[in-house]
Amino acid sequence: MGTVTGQWKQLLLNALESNSHLKHSSFFQLATVGSSGRPSNRTVVFRGFQENSDKIQINTDCRTHKVEELKHCPFAEICWYFTDSWEQFRINGRIDIVDASDPDLKKVQQREISWFASSLKSRLQYLGPSPGLPCLSKEPDQEFLDPSAGPDGAFCLLVLDPDQVDYLNLKIDQRIQFTCQLSENGEKCWNSQRINA
Amino acid sequence: MGTVTGQWKQLLLNALESNSHLKHSSFFQLATVGSSGRPSNRTVVFRGFQENSDKIQINTDCRTHKVEELKHCPFAEICWYFTDSWEQFRINGRIDIVDASDPDLKKVQQREISWFASSLKSRLQYLGPSPGLPCLSKEPDQEFLDPSAGPDGAFCLLVLDPDQVDYLNLKIDQRIQFTCQLSENGEKCWNSQRINA
């Protein structure tokens, strides 16, 4: 039996709620594939679901390897382990990269919303030197940012559209696989199945 | 300037020590690439370094997807985030799969050592139904295991041989990249470089 909104989203919202006393509960690991065909994996911050959908938002710097990698292969898998409730969500899907040059006005607007939703400290990072490049002589860090200024050119919104979710609850040894299929009218339809842990 | 033993190993041992009060400090996320070319990502348990080397050991079930994936593409990246000290290690390398059929006696012995080093509860899992397959009618779980019995056929030792490590310390905003090259006599030689966080 399929459902339009996957029940995994409710399980994830519950996990976020029951682990919300831990700062790191909004951190997860994002795996991508590099142009060499080797996997990459790093911790990123959950920036909420996009509006009423099940699409997951991540902020990043356009100058990072992950953006380069996603241009080459748009697929990614999130592994999100909740350390207090012992739940794991593996969320696989395709990532849409929304940068300053996006021609879609709706997406440009979502990027702007995400920019203003992040802290001034977070925004300042995009004005710093290129992440991952060798450290040069101490450049003084920029300390001030106009709070009303729009997204920096390096600011990038990643939107992951999930099509498979593997849920594992280690406290009760239960594992559920959620799989998405598109219906005739292009709507997402989620099915679930209990699988061996 | 290169060093035979990467300084990252000492940083990792320090992080394990300073986060040892947290059960989940020995958990990390392992990314691999599936035969479809899409990335996979899951939480696994650190089972120590192999002897005096910098090779990282993981136990797994031969019947899991990850073993199938590693046969197709042996490269993996560990992302290990320490929630108390705010340190992240991204460890990239090649994985050697050691199963019951391995012709190398030394490796067979290491697999046996890893089996006996894990708890009886951990060992029991390998006697259960195939992980990831649909749940069938309730089979009673096996409750007893002979503590002196050698490794189950499904038990598999994974050994990751790192060739690149990216270390990030979020408390002091410092990032170091460690890269490995083989010397003329085949010995590993690690170099490090400060990079922008």
Side-chain angles (χ1 to χ4, degrees), chain A residues 92-119:
Chain A
N92 203 304
R94 196 187 173 96
I95 286 189
D96 189 22
I97 307 168
V98 186
D99 61 19
S101 69
D102 205 289
D104 185 328
L105 276 180
K106 177 84 184 148
K107 291 182 183 178
V108 166
Q109 196 184 12
Q110 282 159 340
R111 174 173 171 267
E112 208 166 89
I113 292 169
S114 215
W115 170 262
F116 286 111
S118 56
S119 69

Side-chain angles (χ1 to χ4, degrees), chain A residues 24 29 31 38-41 43 75 77 79 83 88 90 92 129-130 132-135 163 175 193-196, chain B residues 24 29 31 38-41 43 75 77 79 83 88 90 92 130 132-135 163 175 193-196:
Chain A
H24 63 260
Q29 280 69 39
R38 288 170 77 142
S40 298
N41 206 3
T43 307
F75 296 103
E77 186 157 281
C79 182
T83 56
Q88 175 183 265
R90 297 172 58 185
N92 203 304
S130 245
L133 288 191
C135 276
D163 55 30
R175 190 170 165 194
Q193 183 179 34
R194 283 278 308 273
I195 57 175
N196 297 321
Chain B
H24 63 259
Q29 280 68 38
R38 285 170 78 141
S40 298
N41 206 3
T43 308
F75 297 104
E77 186 158 282
C79 182
T83 57
Q88 174 184 264
R90 299 172 57 184
N92 203 304
S130 247
L133 288 190
C135 277
D163 56 31
R175 190 171 166 195
Q193 183 179 35
R194 282 279 308 274
I195 58 174
N196 297 321

Side-chain angles (χ1 to χ4, degrees), chain A residues 2-186:
Chain A
T3 51
V4 178
T5 53
Q7 296 149 301
W8 64 266
K9 188 181 170 183
Q10 193 53 52
L11 287 170
L12 181 56
L13 292 171
N14 296 351
L16 275 165
E17 174 71 24
S18 63
N19 293 268
S20 60
H21 57 293
L22 300 168
K23 181 192 152 68
H24 63 260
S25 65
S26 64
F27 297 178
F28 55 71
Q29 280 69 39
L30 181 76
T32 53
V33 181
S35 55
S36 63
R38 288 170 77 142
S40 298
N41 206 3
R42 79 287 284 162
T43 307
V44 295
V45 181
F46 175 61
R47 301 290 182 176
F49 286 101
Q50 191 158 74
E51 285 156 2
N52 297 315
S53 75
D54 55 14
K55 293 183 182 174
I56 290 172
Q57 299 185 123
I58 300 157
N59 294 344
T60 194
D61 193 306
C62 289
R63 301 167 295 174
T64 58
H65 281 303
K66 71 174 95 53
V67 173
E68 196 186 305
E69 292 182 354
L70 286 166
K71 281 179 183 165
H72 175 259
C73 168
F75 296 103
E77 186 157 281
I78 287 169
C79 182
W80 200 344
Y81 182 67
F82 290 90
T83 56
D84 203 36
S85 61
W86 299 12
E87 291 167 287
Q88 175 183 265
F89 293 82
R90 297 172 58 185
I91 306 171
N92 203 304
R94 196 187 173 96
I95 286 189
D96 189 22
I97 307 168
V98 186
D99 61 19
S101 69
D102 205 289
D104 185 328
L105 276 180
K106 177 84 184 148
K107 291 182 183 178
V108 166
Q109 196 184 12
Q110 282 159 340
R111 174 173 171 267
E112 208 166 89
I113 292 169
S114 215
W115 170 262
F116 286 111
S118 56
S119 69
L120 286 179
K121 205 186 153 213
S122 292
R123 291 184 224 169
L124 261 175
Q125 291 180 321
Y126 296 92
L127 281 67
S130 245
L133 288 191
C135 276
L136 298 176
S137 58
K138 278 259 168 256
E139 304 159 51
D141 285 342
Q142 188 143 355
E143 304 268 327
F144 178 76
L145 181 118
D146 176 2
S148 66
D152 183 80
F155 179 75
C156 192
L157 173 65
L158 303 179
V159 184
L160 186 142
D161 189 3
D163 55 30
Q164 187 163 309
V165 177
D166 184 309
Y167 169 74
L168 175 64
N169 186 321
L170 282 175
K171 288 204 178 163
I172 55 171
D173 244 355
Q174 196 182 69
R175 190 170 165 194
I176 309 173
Q177 190 167 62
F178 298 91
T179 317
C180 173
Q181 286 182 315
L182 292 182
S183 68
E184 281 169 24
N185 57 5

Side-chain angles (χ1 to χ4, degrees), chain B residues 56-119:
Chain B
I56 290 171
Q57 299 185 123
I58 300 157
N59 294 342
T60 194
D61 193 307
C62 288
R63 302 167 294 174
T64 57
H65 282 303
K66 72 173 94 54
V67 173
E68 196 186 305
E69 292 182 352
L70 287 167
K71 282 179 182 164
H72 176 260
C73 168
F75 297 104
E77 186 158 282
I78 287 170
C79 182
W80 201 343
Y81 182 68
F82 290 91
T83 57
D84 203 37
S85 62
W86 298 13
E87 291 166 286
Q88 174 184 264
F89 294 81
R90 299 172 57 184
I91 306 171
N92 203 304
R94 194 187 174 98
I95 286 189
D96 189 22
I97 308 168
V98 186
D99 62 19
S101 69
D102 205 289
D104 185 328
L105 277 179
K106 178 82 185 149
K107 291 182 183 177
V108 166
Q109 198 186 6
Q110 283 159 340
R111 174 171 171 268
E112 209 167 88
I113 292 169
S114 215
W115 170 262
F116 286 112
S118 56
S119 70

Side-chain angles (χ1 to χ4, degrees), chain B residues 1-187:
Chain B
M1 207 178 63
T3 51
V4 178
T5 53
Q7 297 149 301
W8 64 266
K9 188 181 170 182
Q10 193 53 52
L11 288 170
L12 182 55
L13 292 172
N14 296 351
L16 276 165
E17 174 70 23
S18 62
N19 293 269
S20 60
H21 57 292
L22 299 168
K23 180 191 151 70
H24 63 259
S25 64
S26 63
F27 298 178
F28 55 71
Q29 280 68 38
L30 180 77
T32 53
V33 181
S35 56
S36 63
R38 285 170 78 141
S40 298
N41 206 3
R42 79 288 284 162
T43 308
V44 294
V45 181
F46 175 60
R47 301 290 180 176
F49 286 101
Q50 191 158 73
E51 287 155 1
N52 297 314
S53 75
D54 55 13
K55 293 182 181 175
I56 290 171
Q57 299 185 123
I58 300 157
N59 294 342
T60 194
D61 193 307
C62 288
R63 302 167 294 174
T64 57
H65 282 303
K66 72 173 94 54
V67 173
E68 196 186 305
E69 292 182 352
L70 287 167
K71 282 179 182 164
H72 176 260
C73 168
F75 297 104
E77 186 158 282
I78 287 170
C79 182
W80 201 343
Y81 182 68
F82 290 91
T83 57
D84 203 37
S85 62
W86 298 13
E87 291 166 286
Q88 174 184 264
F89 294 81
R90 299 172 57 184
I91 306 171
N92 203 304
R94 194 187 174 98
I95 286 189
D96 189 22
I97 308 168
V98 186
D99 62 19
S101 69
D102 205 289
D104 185 328
L105 277 179
K106 178 82 185 149
K107 291 182 183 177
V108 166
Q109 198 186 6
Q110 283 159 340
R111 174 171 171 268
E112 209 167 88
I113 292 169
S114 215
W115 170 262
F116 286 112
S118 56
S119 70
L120 286 179
K121 208 188 151 212
S122 292
R123 292 184 222 168
L124 261 174
Q125 290 179 321
Y126 297 93
L127 282 67
S130 247
L133 288 190
C135 277
L136 298 176
S137 60
K138 275 261 167 254
E139 305 159 51
D141 285 341
Q142 188 144 354
E143 303 268 328
F144 177 76
L145 180 120
D146 176 1
S148 66
D152 183 80
F155 179 74
C156 193
L157 172 66
L158 302 179
V159 185
L160 186 141
D161 189 4
D163 56 31
Q164 187 163 308
V165 177
D166 185 308
Y167 169 74
L168 175 65
N169 186 320
L170 282 175
K171 288 202 178 165
I172 55 172
D173 243 355
Q174 197 181 68
R175 190 171 166 195
I176 308 173
Q177 190 168 61
F178 298 92
T179 318
C180 174
Q181 285 182 316
L182 291 182
S183 68
E184 281 169 23
N185 58 3
E187 239 177 14

